[in-house]
Amino acid sequence: AVLSVYTTGKPHHLSTYLYTLAGKFSAFYVNTSSLLEEKDAPLRKFRLTLVATTALRLKKGFELLGIEMPESM
């Protein structure tokens, strides 16, 4: 998305990417809301890594757009 913004000069590509990412993460979270209760340790670690990575991508994307990301929702 960032490369697309750079090459096209259209910042809405980043907004669209972030909106889509947030929607997909929300669907994932709803279906795995008992994340910390997961008994399979490698699966739990993978899911927690996915959560952290998604949060970082959203934060960096918002920073590029000049939007302050809330600490919690």
Side-chain angles (χ1 to χ4, degrees):
V2 173
L3 181 59
S4 176
V5 170
Y6 177 76
T7 58
T8 66
K10 297 178 179 179
H12 72 277
H13 289 198
L14 181 56
S15 300
T16 301
Y17 167 76
L18 295 173
Y19 181 80
T20 301
L21 178 61
K24 288 182 178 187
F25 176 77
S26 181
F28 162 79
Y29 189 79
V30 165
N31 292 318
T32 58
S33 58
S34 58
L35 197 62
L36 296 176
E37 297 172 10
E38 178 61 55
K39 302 290 187 232
D40 181 352
L43 180 59
R44 182 176 59 248
K45 182 178 180 182
F46 171 77
R47 288 178 175 171
L48 289 172
T49 301
L50 184 62
V51 169
T53 302
T54 302
L56 182 61
R57 285 204 173 225
L58 289 170
K59 183 177 187 231
K60 292 293 182 187
F62 286 167
E63 286 174 0
L64 289 170
L65 292 172
I67 299 170
E68 226 176 279
M69 188 168 158
E71 288 294 319
S72 64
M73 307 254 321

